[in-house]
Amino acid sequence: MKALLRILMLCGAIAIIGFMFFNTPKENEPLEGPNTNSNIIPQTKLKQEAAVGAMTRPQTGISTLIGKDTQTVLEQYGEPARKEPSSFGYQWWVYNDDVSTFFMVGVEKNVVKQVYIAGQNIDAFPFKVGQKRDEIYRMTIIDYEVAATVGDNIFIFSMSEEDMQTRLLVKFDGLYAQLYIDRETSELQGIRYTDSETLVLHQPYEMSYQGELVRRTPPSSFLQQEIDVASAKQLDDLLNVTRVHHDLPPLEMDNSLEEVARKHSEDMKVQNFLAHESPTYGDLKKRLQANNIEYSDANENLATAYFDAIEAMHGWTNSPEHRKVLLNDRFTRVGSGAFVDYYTQIYLEPASSQKMDSKEKDSEGQTNEEPVSEDSIEKTDQLSP
């Protein structure tokens, strides 16, 4: 009898240790964006080549909205799902009714300054989401250096080898296209059309300039809070667009996770660190426990030095370790948080009890009152570690 008791106690101890091990959130290295090391270099003399190498501006497709008034956008696409501020003076109009038609329009003083397209069914002529990089190179004039002018000021953007593979800049007459390419699939992930002034404000690449540098007006602290909320929502949207493009189900936004993610982004900025473990609040496991969030599996992606949510999501997608996390098919919930240029996204597989409660609520809400089958319960249990 004593021997049996010892065996049971030993098994219990092993089970507790196993639970603690498997229930510890995984971690990967935080990601620092290209803006960390991008140089802004004033020059006394630059050769102006504004017209050299420029492609003919598209006459069809959504890029024709650039420079048009907002009434044109409303007539063609209706009211957006959300209107959100940005750090650069323009307002984002977000159209997220369907992943296949997802796009965002940047508007300033009722004029369209840029358009970002991630939906495969949006006419982004001459490009198309899902298009192969080799095809883009065959049909497009590509150069390591691209010139832009704002008034009498000249700006030269220089692309790195990494940019040439995953973040191309293409010049049209009075229009620029940033092409976000998936490194693993070599497919076009998203397209950002922008005018020259907005491109210079973003400073997305190393830049030399002659004349007066175009600068943005820093937002007030109150406006920055609204921008941070907007960036978090955009991260959620962009994550689900990416997952659906890779034949994975979208994740459900979780308000509790959003708050944990927001606090961690703020904590990193205020305390000037970039890590999963906070000097004050601990690692992800401690932060989730402090908010009474139960889970079977959890992970988070971190990033900084990206000028907006689009760039941050593209950076995560092209980083192998971060990509594995955001494309993990076990996760069903997500929470995103932003604070200035610090980004946090937490992914969660709920504890088995939470998943069972959700299934019971769904079954109660069905008009035909069909019971939850034993097979579905067994499949849910199999997800537990």
Side-chain angles (χ1 to χ4, degrees):
M1 188 69 179
K2 291 182 178 179
L4 179 59
L5 183 61
R6 290 194 187 96
I7 292 172
L8 291 174
M9 291 176 64
L10 179 61
C11 290
I14 293 173
I16 292 172
I17 293 172
F19 175 80
M20 292 176 63
F21 176 78
F22 287 109
N23 208 42
T24 299
K26 304 174 185 65
E27 294 182 352
N28 48 38
E29 289 296 319
L31 195 63
E32 292 192 72
N35 287 20
T36 305
N37 301 312
S38 292
N39 296 314
I40 308 300
I41 307 167
Q43 301 284 349
T44 56
K45 188 175 182 180
L46 284 175
K47 185 178 180 182
Q48 185 171 356
E49 297 178 339
V52 176
M55 297 177 62
T56 302
R57 182 167 180 157
Q59 298 300 306
T60 61
I62 200 168
S63 71
T64 58
L65 291 177
I66 305 294
K68 301 286 183 63
D69 59 33
T70 51
Q71 186 59 36
T72 304
V73 181
L74 294 172
E75 289 172 356
Q76 292 188 28
Y77 299 101
E79 287 285 345
R82 302 194 308 268
K83 293 181 179 180
E84 301 170 334
S86 76
S87 298
F88 299 93
Y90 52 79
Q91 185 182 56
W92 277 121
W93 289 18
V94 181
Y95 290 82
N96 66 349
D97 290 341
D98 189 274
V99 168
S100 66
T101 56
F102 180 87
F103 70 101
M104 297 163 57
V105 179
V107 173
E108 184 176 11
K109 297 178 181 177
N110 291 322
V111 175
V112 177
K113 306 290 286 183
Q114 66 173 322
V115 179
Y116 174 76
I117 309 104
Q120 292 180 310
N121 292 338
I122 292 290
D123 182 2
F125 181 83
F127 307 110
K128 182 175 176 57
V129 172
Q131 190 175 13
K132 288 292 187 179
R133 181 174 53 211
D134 289 348
E135 182 182 346
I136 294 171
Y137 265 89
R138 286 195 300 268
M139 60 173 278
T140 310
I141 298 174
I142 306 290
D143 200 348
Y144 281 94
E145 291 191 341
V146 175
T149 58
V150 178
D152 295 330
N153 308 300
I154 307 170
F155 303 88
I156 305 293
F157 295 97
S158 301
M159 284 180 282
S160 65
E161 290 291 344
E162 172 72 11
D163 294 330
M164 296 295 286
Q165 295 298 312
T166 64
R167 213 166 55 113
L168 290 170
L169 179 61
V170 178
K171 181 178 181 179
F172 296 88
D173 293 330
L175 181 70
Y176 297 84
Q178 275 187 278
L179 307 180
Y180 297 96
I181 298 172
D182 188 316
R183 178 195 299 278
E184 187 168 308
T185 65
S186 297
E187 292 180 349
L188 189 56
Q189 179 184 17
I191 305 131
R192 188 198 301 256
Y193 286 107
T194 178
D195 62 17
S196 59
E197 184 178 9
T198 305
L199 179 66
V200 172
L201 280 174
H202 288 167
Q203 298 176 5
Y205 310 92
E206 183 170 293
M207 186 177 79
S208 302
Y209 71 96
Q210 178 185 327
E212 185 178 348
L213 184 61
V214 179
R215 299 182 184 275
R216 70 184 181 96
T217 301
S220 65
S221 58
F222 178 77
L223 180 58
Q224 185 62 57
Q225 292 178 14
E226 294 184 347
I227 294 168
D228 294 338
V229 171
S231 294
K233 291 179 180 178
Q234 291 165 22
L235 284 175
D236 290 336
D237 284 338
L238 294 164
L239 167 69
N240 283 333
V241 169
T242 302
R243 284 179 63 89
V244 172
H245 281 178
H246 289 84
D247 299 320
L248 291 170
L251 302 189
E252 177 185 352
M253 191 274 286
D254 187 298
N255 287 325
S256 297
L257 290 180
E258 295 270 309
E259 182 62 14
V260 176
R262 183 197 65 79
K263 286 181 177 179
H264 191 61
S265 289
E266 181 177 0
D267 190 30
M268 287 191 293
K269 176 67 174 178
V270 172
Q271 299 203 59
N272 192 29
F273 73 95
L274 181 63
H276 295 278
E277 184 163 0
S278 163
T280 306
Y281 303 106
D283 60 12
L284 177 58
K285 180 177 181 179
K286 291 181 180 178
R287 287 183 275 123
L288 292 175
Q289 288 176 339
N291 287 270
N292 300 315
I293 298 174
E294 298 180 356
Y295 59 92
S296 294
D297 195 9
N299 210 328
E300 78 180 349
N301 282 338
L302 306 178
T304 191
Y306 290 96
F307 67 79
D308 66 7
I310 295 169
E311 291 268 328
M313 182 55 64
H314 177 66
W316 282 334
T317 304
N318 272 340
S319 168
E321 292 304 315
H322 298 83
R323 182 190 186 91
K324 288 178 184 177
V325 176
L326 63 90
L327 295 181
N328 189 322
D329 61 1
R330 290 187 61 175
F331 297 132
T332 59
R333 297 184 185 176
V334 65
S336 303
F339 193 83
V340 190
D341 63 344
Y342 281 78
Y343 304 93
T344 301
Q345 194 163 63
I346 301 173
Y347 317 84
L348 199 78
E349 179 192 17
S352 297
S353 59
Q354 290 179 296
K355 289 182 285 185
M356 291 294 294
D357 290 343
S358 177
K359 284 182 174 290
E360 288 171 2
K361 289 179 182 178
D362 290 343
S363 65
E364 289 173 1
Q366 292 175 357
T367 55
N368 57 10
E369 298 183 351
E370 291 182 0
V372 180
S373 68
E374 292 183 3
D375 290 341
S376 65
I377 295 175
E378 289 175 0
K379 290 178 181 178
T380 301
D381 291 341
Q382 290 173 1
L383 294 176
S384 303

